[in-house]
Coordinates of all heavy atoms in Angstrom, one line a residue:
M1 N -2.9 -3.0 22.3 CA -3.7 -2.8 21.2 C -4.0 -4.1 20.5 O -3.1 -4.9 20.3 CB -3.1 -1.8 20.2 CG -3.9 -1.6 19.0 SD -3.1 -0.5 17.8 CE -3.4 1.1 18.5
Q2 N -5.2 -4.4 20.2 CA -5.6 -5.6 19.6 C -5.4 -5.5 18.1 O -5.3 -4.4 17.5 CB -7.0 -6.0 19.9 CG -7.3 -6.3 21.3 CD -8.7 -6.7 21.6 OE1 -9.5 -6.8 20.7 NE2 -9.0 -6.9 22.8
L3 N -5.2 -6.6 17.4 CA -4.9 -6.6 16.0 C -6.0 -5.9 15.2 O -5.7 -5.1 14.3 CB -4.8 -8.0 15.4 CG -4.5 -8.2 14.0 CD1 -3.2 -7.5 13.6 CD2 -4.4 -9.6 13.6
Q4 N -7.2 -6.0 15.5 CA -8.3 -5.4 14.8 C -8.2 -3.8 14.9 O -8.4 -3.1 14.0 CB -9.7 -5.8 15.3 CG -10.1 -7.2 14.8 CD -10.0 -7.3 13.3 OE1 -9.2 -8.0 12.7 NE2 -11.0 -6.7 12.6
Q5 N -7.8 -3.4 16.1 CA -7.6 -1.9 16.3 C -6.5 -1.4 15.4 O -6.6 -0.3 14.8 CB -7.4 -1.6 17.8 CG -8.6 -1.8 18.7 CD -8.2 -1.7 20.1 OE1 -7.2 -2.3 20.6 NE2 -8.9 -0.9 20.9
L6 N -5.4 -2.2 15.4 CA -4.3 -1.8 14.6 C -4.6 -1.7 13.1 O -4.4 -0.8 12.4 CB -3.1 -2.8 14.7 CG -1.9 -2.6 13.8 CD1 -1.2 -1.3 14.0 CD2 -0.9 -3.7 13.9
L7 N -5.3 -2.7 12.6 CA -5.8 -2.7 11.2 C -6.6 -1.6 10.9 O -6.5 -0.9 9.9 CB -6.5 -4.1 10.9 CG -5.6 -5.3 10.9 CD1 -6.4 -6.5 10.7 CD2 -4.5 -5.2 9.8
K8 N -7.6 -1.3 11.8 CA -8.5 -0.1 11.6 C -7.7 1.2 11.5 O -8.0 2.0 10.7 CB -9.5 -0.1 12.7 CG -10.6 0.9 12.4 CD -11.8 0.8 13.3 CE -12.8 1.8 12.9 NZ -14.1 1.3 13.1
S9 N -6.7 1.3 12.4 CA -6.0 2.6 12.4 C -5.1 2.7 11.2 O -4.9 3.8 10.7 CB -5.1 2.7 13.7 OG -3.8 2.3 13.5
L10 N -4.6 1.6 10.7 CA -3.8 1.6 9.4 C -4.7 2.0 8.2 O -4.3 2.7 7.3 CB -3.1 0.3 9.2 CG -2.0 -0.1 10.1 CD1 -1.5 -1.5 9.9 CD2 -0.8 0.9 10.0
E11 N -5.9 1.5 8.2 CA -6.8 1.8 7.1 C -7.2 3.3 7.1 O -7.4 3.8 6.0 CB -8.1 1.0 7.3 CG -8.0 -0.5 7.0 CD -9.2 -1.2 7.4 OE1 -10.3 -0.6 7.6 OE2 -9.2 -2.5 7.3
L12 N -7.2 3.9 8.2 CA -7.6 5.3 8.2 C -6.5 6.3 7.8 O -6.8 7.4 7.5 CB -8.2 5.7 9.6 CG -9.4 4.9 10.1 CD1 -9.8 5.3 11.5 CD2 -10.6 5.2 9.1
R13 N -5.3 5.8 7.9 CA -4.2 6.7 7.7 C -3.7 6.6 6.2 O -3.4 5.5 5.8 CB -3.0 6.4 8.6 CG -3.0 7.2 9.9 CD -1.8 7.0 10.6 NE -2.2 6.4 11.9 CZ -1.5 5.8 12.7 NH1 -0.2 5.7 12.5 NH2 -1.9 5.3 13.8
N14 N -3.5 7.7 5.6 CA -2.9 7.7 4.2 C -3.5 6.7 3.3 O -2.7 6.1 2.5 CB -1.4 7.5 4.4 CG -0.7 8.6 5.3 OD1 -1.1 9.7 5.2 ND2 0.2 8.1 6.1
H15 N -4.7 6.6 3.3 CA -5.4 5.6 2.4 C -6.4 6.3 1.5 O -7.3 7.0 2.0 CB -6.1 4.5 3.2 CG -6.9 3.6 2.3 ND1 -6.3 2.7 1.4 CD2 -8.2 3.3 2.3 CE1 -7.2 2.0 0.8 NE2 -8.4 2.4 1.3
A16 N -6.2 6.2 0.2 CA -7.1 6.8 -0.8 C -8.4 6.0 -0.8 O -8.3 4.8 -0.5 CB -6.5 6.9 -2.1
P17 N -9.5 6.5 -1.2 CA -10.8 5.7 -1.2 C -10.8 4.8 -2.5 O -11.7 4.9 -3.3 CB -11.8 6.8 -1.3 CG -11.2 7.9 -1.9 CD -9.8 7.9 -1.5
T18 N -9.8 3.9 -2.7 CA -9.7 3.1 -3.9 C -10.9 2.2 -4.0 O -11.3 1.8 -5.2 CB -8.4 2.3 -3.8 OG1 -8.4 1.5 -2.6 CG2 -7.2 3.1 -3.9
E19 N -11.6 1.8 -2.9 CA -12.7 0.9 -3.0 C -13.9 1.6 -3.7 O -14.8 0.9 -4.1 CB -13.1 0.4 -1.6 CG -13.6 1.4 -0.7 CD -12.5 2.2 0.0 OE1 -11.3 1.9 -0.1 OE2 -12.9 3.2 0.7
Q20 N -13.9 2.9 -3.8 CA -15.0 3.7 -4.4 C -14.7 3.9 -5.9 O -15.6 4.4 -6.6 CB -15.2 5.0 -3.7 CG -15.5 4.9 -2.3 CD -15.5 6.2 -1.6 OE1 -15.5 7.3 -2.2 NE2 -15.6 6.2 -0.2
W21 N -13.5 3.5 -6.4 CA -13.2 3.8 -7.8 C -13.3 2.5 -8.6 O -13.0 1.4 -8.1 CB -11.7 4.3 -7.9 CG -11.5 5.6 -7.1 CD1 -12.4 6.5 -6.7 CD2 -10.2 6.0 -6.5 NE1 -11.8 7.6 -6.0 CE2 -10.5 7.3 -5.9 CE3 -9.0 5.5 -6.5 CZ2 -9.5 8.0 -5.3 CZ3 -7.9 6.2 -5.9 CH2 -8.2 7.4 -5.3
N22 N -13.6 2.7 -9.8 CA -13.7 1.5 -10.8 C -13.1 1.9 -12.1 O -13.7 2.0 -13.1 CB -15.2 1.1 -11.0 CG -15.3 -0.2 -11.7 OD1 -14.4 -1.0 -11.8 ND2 -16.4 -0.4 -12.4
P23 N -11.7 2.1 -12.1 CA -11.0 2.6 -13.3 C -10.8 1.5 -14.3 O -10.9 0.3 -13.9 CB -9.7 3.1 -12.7 CG -9.4 2.2 -11.5 CD -10.8 2.0 -10.9
Q24 N -10.4 1.9 -15.5 CA -10.1 0.9 -16.5 C -8.7 0.3 -16.2 O -7.8 1.0 -15.8 CB -10.0 1.7 -17.9 CG -9.6 0.8 -19.0 CD -9.6 1.6 -20.3 OE1 -10.0 2.7 -20.4 NE2 -9.2 0.9 -21.4
Y25 N -8.6 -1.0 -16.5 CA -7.3 -1.7 -16.3 C -6.4 -1.3 -17.5 O -6.8 -1.4 -18.6 CB -7.5 -3.2 -16.3 CG -6.2 -4.0 -16.2 CD1 -5.4 -3.9 -15.1 CD2 -5.7 -4.7 -17.3 CE1 -4.2 -4.6 -15.0 CE2 -4.5 -5.4 -17.2 CZ -3.8 -5.4 -16.0 OH -2.6 -6.0 -16.0
C26 N -5.2 -0.9 -17.2 CA -4.3 -0.3 -18.2 C -3.0 -1.2 -18.4 O -2.1 -0.8 -19.0 CB -3.9 1.1 -17.8 SG -5.3 2.2 -17.8
G27 N -3.0 -2.4 -17.8 CA -1.9 -3.3 -18.0 C -0.9 -3.3 -16.8 O -1.2 -2.8 -15.7
E28 N 0.3 -3.8 -17.1 CA 1.3 -4.0 -16.0 C 2.4 -2.9 -16.3 O 2.7 -2.6 -17.4 CB 1.9 -5.4 -16.0 CG 2.8 -5.7 -14.9 CD 3.1 -7.2 -14.8 OE1 2.5 -8.0 -15.5 OE2 4.0 -7.5 -13.9
I29 N 2.9 -2.4 -15.2 CA 4.1 -1.5 -15.3 C 5.3 -2.1 -14.6 O 5.1 -3.0 -13.7 CB 3.7 -0.1 -14.7 CG1 3.4 -0.2 -13.2 CG2 2.6 0.6 -15.5 CD1 3.3 1.2 -12.6
P30 N 6.5 -1.7 -14.9 CA 7.7 -2.3 -14.3 C 8.0 -1.8 -13.0 O 9.1 -1.3 -12.7 CB 8.8 -2.0 -15.4 CG 8.3 -0.7 -16.0 CD 6.8 -0.8 -16.0
L31 N 7.0 -1.8 -12.1 CA 7.2 -1.4 -10.7 C 7.2 -2.7 -9.9 O 6.3 -3.5 -10.0 CB 6.1 -0.5 -10.3 CG 6.4 0.3 -9.0 CD1 5.9 1.8 -9.2 CD2 5.8 -0.3 -7.8
H32 N 8.2 -2.8 -9.0 CA 8.3 -4.1 -8.2 C 8.6 -3.7 -6.7 O 9.4 -2.8 -6.4 CB 9.5 -4.9 -8.7 CG 9.8 -6.1 -7.9 ND1 8.9 -7.2 -7.9 CD2 10.8 -6.4 -7.1 CE1 9.5 -8.1 -7.1 NE2 10.6 -7.7 -6.6
I33 N 8.0 -4.5 -5.8 CA 8.3 -4.4 -4.4 C 9.1 -5.6 -4.0 O 8.5 -6.7 -4.2 CB 7.1 -4.2 -3.5 CG1 6.3 -3.0 -4.0 CG2 7.5 -4.0 -2.1 CD1 4.9 -2.8 -3.4
D34 N 10.3 -5.5 -3.5 CA 11.1 -6.7 -3.2 C 10.7 -7.3 -1.9 O 9.9 -6.8 -1.1 CB 12.6 -6.5 -3.4 CG 13.2 -5.7 -2.2 OD1 12.5 -5.3 -1.2 OD2 14.4 -5.4 -2.3
G35 N 11.4 -8.4 -1.5 CA 11.1 -9.1 -0.2 C 11.4 -8.3 1.0 O 10.9 -8.6 2.1
N36 N 12.2 -7.2 0.9 CA 12.5 -6.3 2.0 C 11.6 -5.1 2.1 O 11.8 -4.2 2.9 CB 13.9 -5.9 2.0 CG 14.9 -7.1 2.2 OD1 14.6 -7.9 3.1 ND2 15.9 -7.1 1.5
G37 N 10.6 -5.0 1.2 CA 9.7 -3.9 1.1 C 10.2 -2.7 0.4 O 9.7 -1.6 0.4
K38 N 11.4 -2.8 -0.3 CA 11.9 -1.7 -1.2 C 11.2 -1.7 -2.5 O 11.0 -2.7 -3.1 CB 13.4 -1.9 -1.4 CG 14.2 -1.6 -0.1 CD 15.7 -1.4 -0.3 CE 16.0 -0.2 -1.2 NZ 16.0 1.1 -0.7
W39 N 10.9 -0.5 -2.9 CA 10.2 -0.3 -4.2 C 11.2 0.1 -5.3 O 12.1 0.8 -5.1 CB 9.2 0.9 -4.0 CG 8.1 0.6 -3.1 CD1 8.2 0.3 -1.8 CD2 6.7 0.7 -3.4 NE1 6.9 0.1 -1.2 CE2 6.0 0.4 -2.2 CE3 6.0 1.0 -4.5 CZ2 4.6 0.3 -2.2 CZ3 4.6 1.0 -4.5 CH2 3.9 0.7 -3.3
F40 N 10.9 -0.5 -6.5 CA 11.8 -0.3 -7.6 C 11.0 0.0 -8.9 O 9.9 -0.5 -9.0 CB 12.6 -1.6 -8.0 CG 13.6 -2.0 -6.9 CD1 13.2 -2.7 -5.8 CD2 14.9 -1.7 -7.0 CE1 14.1 -3.1 -4.8 CE2 15.8 -2.0 -6.0 CZ 15.4 -2.7 -4.9
Y41 N 11.5 0.9 -9.7 CA 10.9 1.1 -11.0 C 11.9 0.9 -12.1 O 13.0 1.4 -12.0 CB 10.4 2.6 -11.1 CG 9.8 2.9 -12.5 CD1 8.5 2.3 -12.8 CD2 10.4 3.7 -13.4 CE1 7.9 2.6 -14.0 CE2 9.8 3.9 -14.6 CZ 8.6 3.4 -14.9 OH 8.0 3.6 -16.1
Q42 N 11.6 0.0 -13.0 CA 12.6 -0.4 -14.1 C 13.9 -0.9 -13.4 O 15.0 -0.5 -13.9 CB 12.8 0.6 -15.1 CG 11.5 1.0 -15.9 CD 11.7 2.0 -17.0 OE1 12.6 2.8 -16.9 NE2 10.9 2.0 -18.0
N43 N 13.8 -1.7 -12.4 CA 14.9 -2.2 -11.7 C 15.8 -1.2 -10.9 O 16.9 -1.5 -10.4 CB 15.8 -3.1 -12.6 CG 15.0 -4.3 -13.1 OD1 14.3 -4.9 -12.3 ND2 15.2 -4.6 -14.4
S44 N 15.4 0.0 -10.9 CA 16.1 1.1 -10.1 C 15.3 1.4 -8.9 O 14.1 1.6 -8.9 CB 16.2 2.4 -11.0 OG 17.0 2.1 -12.1
P45 N 16.0 1.5 -7.7 CA 15.3 1.8 -6.5 C 14.7 3.2 -6.5 O 15.2 4.1 -7.1 CB 16.4 1.8 -5.4 CG 17.7 1.5 -6.1 CD 17.4 1.3 -7.6
I46 N 13.5 3.2 -5.9 CA 12.8 4.5 -5.8 C 13.3 5.1 -4.5 O 12.9 4.6 -3.4 CB 11.3 4.3 -5.8 CG1 10.8 3.7 -7.1 CG2 10.6 5.7 -5.6 CD1 9.4 3.4 -7.2
G47 N 14.0 6.2 -4.5 CA 14.6 6.8 -3.4 C 13.8 7.8 -2.7 O 14.1 8.2 -1.5
R48 N 12.8 8.3 -3.4 CA 12.0 9.4 -2.8 C 10.9 8.8 -1.9 O 9.9 8.2 -2.4 CB 11.4 10.2 -3.9 CG 12.4 11.0 -4.7 CD 11.8 11.8 -5.8 NE 10.8 12.7 -5.3 CZ 9.9 13.3 -6.1 NH1 9.9 13.0 -7.4 NH2 9.0 14.1 -5.6
E49 N 11.0 8.9 -0.6 CA 10.1 8.3 0.3 C 8.6 8.8 0.1 O 7.7 8.1 0.2 CB 10.5 8.6 1.8 CG 9.6 8.0 2.8 CD 10.1 8.2 4.2 OE1 11.3 8.5 4.4 OE2 9.3 8.1 5.1
R50 N 8.5 10.1 -0.2 CA 7.2 10.7 -0.4 C 6.5 10.0 -1.6 O 5.3 9.8 -1.6 CB 7.2 12.2 -0.6 CG 7.7 12.9 0.7 CD 7.7 14.4 0.5 NE 6.3 14.9 0.5 CZ 6.0 16.1 0.2 NH1 6.9 17.0 0.0 NH2 4.8 16.5 0.2
L51 N 7.2 9.7 -2.7 CA 6.7 9.0 -3.8 C 6.2 7.6 -3.5 O 5.2 7.1 -3.9 CB 7.7 9.0 -5.0 CG 7.2 8.4 -6.3 CD1 6.0 9.1 -6.8 CD2 8.4 8.4 -7.3
V52 N 7.0 6.9 -2.7 CA 6.7 5.5 -2.2 C 5.4 5.6 -1.4 O 4.5 4.8 -1.5 CB 7.8 4.9 -1.5 CG1 7.4 3.6 -0.8 CG2 9.0 4.6 -2.4
K53 N 5.3 6.6 -0.5 CA 4.1 6.7 0.3 C 2.9 7.0 -0.6 O 1.8 6.5 -0.3 CB 4.3 7.9 1.3 CG 5.2 7.4 2.5 CD 5.3 8.6 3.5 CE 6.2 8.1 4.7 NZ 6.3 9.1 5.7
L54 N 3.1 7.8 -1.6 CA 2.0 8.1 -2.5 C 1.5 6.8 -3.2 O 0.3 6.5 -3.2 CB 2.4 9.1 -3.6 CG 1.3 9.4 -4.7 CD1 0.1 10.0 -4.1 CD2 1.9 10.3 -5.7
F55 N 2.4 6.0 -3.7 CA 2.1 4.8 -4.3 C 1.4 3.8 -3.3 O 0.4 3.2 -3.6 CB 3.3 4.1 -4.9 CG 3.9 4.7 -6.2 CD1 5.2 4.6 -6.5 CD2 3.1 5.4 -7.0 CE1 5.7 5.2 -7.6 CE2 3.6 6.0 -8.2 CZ 4.9 5.9 -8.5
A56 N 2.0 3.8 -2.1 CA 1.4 2.9 -1.1 C -0.1 3.3 -0.8 O -0.9 2.4 -0.4 CB 2.2 2.9 0.2
S57 N -0.4 4.6 -0.9 CA -1.7 5.0 -0.5 C -2.8 4.6 -1.6 O -4.0 4.6 -1.3 CB -1.8 6.5 -0.4 OG -1.7 7.2 -1.6
V58 N -2.3 4.2 -2.8 CA -3.3 3.7 -3.8 C -3.0 2.2 -4.1 O -3.5 1.7 -5.2 CB -3.2 4.6 -5.0 CG1 -3.7 6.0 -4.7 CG2 -1.9 4.6 -5.7
L59 N -2.3 1.5 -3.3 CA -2.0 0.1 -3.5 C -3.2 -0.8 -3.1 O -3.7 -0.6 -2.0 CB -0.7 -0.3 -2.7 CG -0.3 -1.7 -2.8 CD1 0.2 -2.1 -4.2 CD2 0.8 -2.0 -1.8
T60 N -3.6 -1.7 -3.9 CA -4.6 -2.6 -3.6 C -4.2 -4.0 -3.9 O -3.3 -4.2 -4.7 CB -6.0 -2.3 -4.3 OG1 -5.8 -2.5 -5.7 CG2 -6.4 -0.9 -4.1
C61 N -4.9 -5.0 -3.3 CA -4.6 -6.4 -3.6 C -6.0 -7.1 -3.9 O -6.9 -6.9 -3.2 CB -4.0 -7.1 -2.4 SG -3.6 -8.8 -2.7
E62 N -6.0 -7.8 -5.1 CA -7.2 -8.5 -5.5 C -6.7 -9.9 -5.9 O -5.9 -10.1 -6.8 CB -7.8 -7.8 -6.7 CG -8.3 -6.4 -6.4 CD -8.8 -5.7 -7.6 OE1 -9.0 -6.4 -8.7 OE2 -8.9 -4.5 -7.6
D63 N -7.2 -10.9 -5.2 CA -6.9 -12.3 -5.5 C -5.4 -12.6 -5.6 O -4.9 -13.3 -6.5 CB -7.6 -12.7 -6.8 CG -9.1 -12.6 -6.8 OD1 -9.7 -12.9 -5.7 OD2 -9.7 -12.2 -7.8
G64 N -4.7 -12.0 -4.7 CA -3.3 -12.2 -4.6 C -2.4 -11.4 -5.5 O -1.2 -11.5 -5.6
E65 N -3.1 -10.5 -6.4 CA -2.3 -9.7 -7.3 C -2.4 -8.2 -6.8 O -3.4 -7.8 -6.2 CB -2.9 -9.8 -8.7 CG -2.7 -11.2 -9.3 CD -3.2 -11.3 -10.7 OE1 -4.3 -10.7 -11.0 OE2 -2.5 -11.9 -11.5
H66 N -1.4 -7.5 -7.1 CA -1.3 -6.1 -6.6 C -1.4 -5.1 -7.7 O -0.9 -5.3 -8.8 CB 0.0 -5.9 -5.8 CG 0.1 -6.8 -4.6 ND1 0.5 -8.1 -4.6 CD2 -0.2 -6.6 -3.3 CE1 0.4 -8.6 -3.4 NE2 0.0 -7.7 -2.6
F67 N -2.1 -4.0 -7.3 CA -2.4 -3.0 -8.3 C -2.3 -1.6 -7.7 O -2.5 -1.4 -6.5 CB -3.9 -3.1 -8.8 CG -4.2 -4.4 -9.5 CD1 -4.7 -5.4 -8.7 CD2 -4.0 -4.6 -10.8 CE1 -5.0 -6.7 -9.3 CE2 -4.3 -5.8 -11.4 CZ -4.8 -6.8 -10.6
L68 N -1.9 -0.6 -8.5 CA -2.0 0.8 -8.1 C -3.2 1.3 -8.8 O -3.4 1.1 -10.0 CB -0.8 1.6 -8.6 CG 0.6 1.2 -8.0 CD1 1.7 2.1 -8.5 CD2 0.6 1.2 -6.5
V69 N -4.1 1.9 -8.0 CA -5.4 2.3 -8.5 C -5.6 3.8 -8.3 O -5.4 4.4 -7.2 CB -6.6 1.6 -7.8 CG1 -7.9 2.0 -8.2 CG2 -6.4 0.1 -7.9
T70 N -6.0 4.5 -9.4 CA -6.4 5.9 -9.3 C -7.8 6.0 -9.8 O -8.4 5.0 -10.3 CB -5.5 6.8 -10.2 OG1 -5.8 6.6 -11.5 CG2 -4.0 6.5 -9.8
P71 N -8.4 7.2 -9.7 CA -9.8 7.3 -10.3 C -9.9 7.0 -11.8 O -11.0 6.6 -12.2 CB -10.2 8.7 -10.0 CG -9.4 9.1 -8.8 CD -8.1 8.4 -9.0
V72 N -8.8 7.1 -12.5 CA -8.9 6.9 -14.0 C -8.1 5.7 -14.5 O -8.3 5.3 -15.7 CB -8.4 8.2 -14.7 CG1 -9.4 9.3 -14.5 CG2 -7.0 8.5 -14.4
E73 N -7.2 5.1 -13.7 CA -6.5 3.9 -14.2 C -6.1 2.9 -13.1 O -6.0 3.3 -12.0 CB -5.3 4.3 -15.1 CG -4.2 4.9 -14.3 CD -3.0 5.4 -15.1 OE1 -3.1 5.2 -16.4 OE2 -2.0 5.8 -14.6
K74 N -5.9 1.7 -13.5 CA -5.5 0.6 -12.6 C -4.4 -0.1 -13.3 O -4.5 -0.6 -14.5 CB -6.7 -0.3 -12.4 CG -6.4 -1.5 -11.6 CD -7.7 -2.3 -11.5 CE -7.6 -3.6 -10.7 NZ -8.8 -4.3 -10.6
V75 N -3.2 -0.2 -12.6 CA -2.1 -0.9 -13.2 C -1.6 -2.0 -12.3 O -1.6 -1.8 -11.1 CB -0.9 0.1 -13.6 CG1 -1.3 1.0 -14.7 CG2 -0.5 0.9 -12.4
K76 N -1.1 -3.1 -12.8 CA -0.6 -4.2 -12.1 C 0.9 -4.0 -11.8 O 1.6 -3.5 -12.7 CB -0.9 -5.5 -12.8 CG -0.5 -6.7 -12.0 CD -0.8 -8.0 -12.9 CE -0.3 -9.2 -12.1 NZ -0.6 -10.4 -13.0
I77 N 1.3 -4.3 -10.6 CA 2.7 -4.3 -10.2 C 3.1 -5.7 -9.7 O 2.2 -6.5 -9.3 CB 3.0 -3.2 -9.2 CG1 2.4 -3.4 -7.9 CG2 2.6 -1.8 -9.8 CD1 2.9 -2.5 -6.7
S78 N 4.4 -5.9 -9.6 CA 4.8 -7.2 -9.0 C 5.3 -7.0 -7.6 O 5.9 -6.0 -7.2 CB 5.9 -7.8 -9.8 OG 7.1 -7.0 -9.8
V79 N 5.0 -8.0 -6.7 CA 5.4 -7.9 -5.3 C 6.0 -9.3 -5.0 O 5.4 -10.3 -5.2 CB 4.2 -7.7 -4.4 CG1 4.5 -7.7 -3.0 CG2 3.5 -6.3 -4.8
A80 N 7.2 -9.3 -4.4 CA 7.9 -10.5 -4.1 C 7.3 -11.3 -3.0 O 7.1 -12.5 -3.0 CB 9.4 -10.2 -3.8
D81 N 6.9 -10.5 -1.9 CA 6.4 -11.2 -0.7 C 5.2 -10.4 -0.2 O 4.1 -10.8 -0.5 CB 7.5 -11.3 0.3 CG 7.1 -12.1 1.6 OD1 6.2 -12.9 1.5 OD2 7.8 -11.9 2.6
A82 N 5.5 -9.4 0.6 CA 4.4 -8.6 1.2 C 4.7 -7.1 0.8 O 5.9 -6.7 0.8 CB 4.4 -8.7 2.7
P83 N 3.7 -6.4 0.3 CA 4.0 -5.0 -0.1 C 4.3 -4.0 0.9 O 5.1 -3.1 0.7 CB 2.7 -4.6 -0.8 CG 1.6 -5.5 -0.1 CD 2.3 -6.8 0.2
L84 N 3.9 -4.3 2.2 CA 4.2 -3.3 3.2 C 4.7 -4.1 4.4 O 4.2 -5.2 4.8 CB 2.9 -2.6 3.6 CG 2.2 -1.8 2.5 CD1 0.8 -1.3 2.9 CD2 3.1 -0.7 1.9
L85 N 5.7 -3.5 5.1 CA 6.3 -4.1 6.3 C 6.1 -3.1 7.5 O 6.2 -1.9 7.3 CB 7.8 -4.3 6.1 CG 8.2 -5.2 4.9 CD1 9.7 -5.2 4.8 CD2 7.7 -6.6 5.1
I86 N 5.9 -3.6 8.6 CA 5.8 -2.8 9.8 C 7.3 -2.6 10.2 O 8.0 -3.5 10.5 CB 5.0 -3.5 11.0 CG1 3.6 -3.7 10.6 CG2 5.2 -2.7 12.3 CD1 2.7 -4.5 11.6
V87 N 7.6 -1.3 10.3 CA 9.0 -0.9 10.6 C 9.2 -0.3 12.0 O 10.3 -0.1 12.4 CB 9.7 0.0 9.5 CG1 9.7 -0.8 8.2 CG2 8.9 1.2 9.3
G88 N 8.0 0.0 12.6 CA 8.1 0.6 13.9 C 6.7 0.3 14.6 O 5.7 0.2 13.9
W89 N 6.8 0.2 15.9 CA 5.6 -0.1 16.6 C 5.7 0.6 17.9 O 6.7 0.6 18.6 CB 5.5 -1.6 16.9 CG 4.4 -2.1 17.8 CD1 4.5 -2.2 19.1 CD2 3.1 -2.4 17.4 NE1 3.3 -2.6 19.6 CE2 2.4 -2.7 18.6 CE3 2.4 -2.5 16.2 CZ2 1.1 -3.1 18.6 CZ3 1.1 -2.9 16.2 CH2 0.5 -3.2 17.4
Q90 N 4.6 1.2 18.3 CA 4.5 1.9 19.6 C 3.1 1.6 20.1 O 2.1 1.9 19.5 CB 4.7 3.4 19.5 CG 4.6 4.1 20.8 CD 4.8 5.6 20.6 OE1 4.8 6.1 19.5 NE2 4.9 6.3 21.7
Q91 N 3.1 1.0 21.3 CA 1.8 0.7 21.9 C 1.3 1.9 22.7 O 2.1 2.4 23.5 CB 1.9 -0.5 22.8 CG 0.5 -0.9 23.4 CD 0.6 -2.3 24.1 OE1 1.5 -3.0 24.0 NE2 -0.5 -2.6 24.8
V92 N 0.1 2.3 22.5 CA -0.5 3.5 23.1 C -1.4 2.9 24.2 O -2.3 2.1 23.9 CB -1.2 4.4 22.1 CG1 -1.8 5.6 22.9 CG2 -0.2 4.9 21.1
E93 N -1.3 3.4 25.4 CA -2.2 3.0 26.4 C -3.6 3.6 26.2 O -3.7 4.8 25.8 CB -1.7 3.5 27.8 CG -0.4 2.8 28.2 CD -0.5 1.3 28.4 OE1 -1.6 0.8 28.9 OE2 0.4 0.5 28.0
S94 N -4.6 2.8 26.4 CA -5.9 3.3 26.2 C -6.7 3.2 27.5 O -6.5 2.2 28.3 CB -6.6 2.5 25.1 OG -7.9 2.8 25.0
D95 N -7.6 4.1 27.7 CA -8.5 3.9 28.9 C -9.7 3.1 28.6 O -10.5 2.9 29.5 CB -8.9 5.3 29.4 CG -9.5 6.2 28.3 OD1 -9.2 6.0 27.2 OD2 -10.1 7.2 28.7
Q96 N -9.7 2.5 27.4 CA -10.8 1.6 27.1 C -10.4 0.2 27.5 O -9.2 -0.2 27.5 CB -11.1 1.5 25.6 CG -11.5 2.9 25.0 CD -11.7 2.8 23.5 OE1 -11.4 1.8 22.9 NE2 -12.1 4.0 22.9
G97 N -11.3 -0.6 27.9 CA -11.1 -2.0 28.3 C -10.7 -2.9 27.1 O -10.7 -2.4 26.0
P98 N -10.3 -4.1 27.4 CA -9.8 -5.0 26.3 C -10.9 -5.4 25.3 O -12.1 -5.2 25.5 CB -9.4 -6.3 27.0 CG -9.8 -6.1 28.5 CD -10.2 -4.7 28.7

C-alpha cells in the first residue's frame, strides 16, 4: 500500500466533517496528548478508549496548533509531539497495480 492510499483510508475512517464546520473559538482546555500518544485531562489519564476515539475524530491541526472542533465550538489542546500514533499495521493485497 502506498502512503497516499494509507492517508486516504485513514481520512475516511472515524472522521467527522470538521472541515465543513466554522465554530466559534472558545479558548484552551486542559487536555494534553503526551509524546507516547496518551491523552490526559487535567493531568489525569483518560482511560476510556471510546472517549479518546471520539476526541480523535474531531481533532484538527491548524498552523501547528491542535484543536477539538464540533459544529458549535472549537477548543485548543496541547500536544507534546504527534497527536496520533500508528500502533498496528496490516498490508492488504490489492489486485490493483502500483
Side-chain angles (χ1 to χ4, degrees):
M1 176 181 285
Q2 295 181 4
L3 180 58
Q4 286 303 109
Q5 291 171 311
L6 173 63
L7 292 173
K8 187 171 185 142
S9 97
L10 290 174
E11 288 173 9
L12 296 176
R13 268 190 243 165
N14 301 320
H15 174 67
T18 55
E19 65 282 348
Q20 298 173 13
W21 301 334
N22 189 22
Q24 178 179 353
Y25 177 68
C26 297
E28 189 167 351
I29 61 170
L31 197 141
H32 175 73
I33 305 172
D34 75 4
N36 293 319
K38 289 199 56 83
W39 293 58
F40 294 83
Y41 180 71
Q42 295 182 334
N43 297 318
S44 295
I46 300 174
R48 294 179 56 200
E49 184 178 336
R50 292 181 75 186
L51 185 58
V52 170
K53 286 182 178 184
L54 173 65
F55 288 153
S57 73
V58 294
L59 179 67
T60 64
C61 182
E62 299 173 14
D63 300 321
E65 297 184 318
H66 295 85
F67 302 89
L68 298 181
V69 179
T70 72
V72 295
E73 67 183 4
K74 174 181 180 178
V75 292
K76 184 177 176 184
I77 67 168
S78 66
V79 176
D81 185 21
L84 304 172
L85 303 173
I86 295 175
V87 295
W89 173 270
Q90 179 181 9
Q91 184 169 349
V92 178
E93 294 298 322
S94 172
D95 49 340
Q96 299 176 357

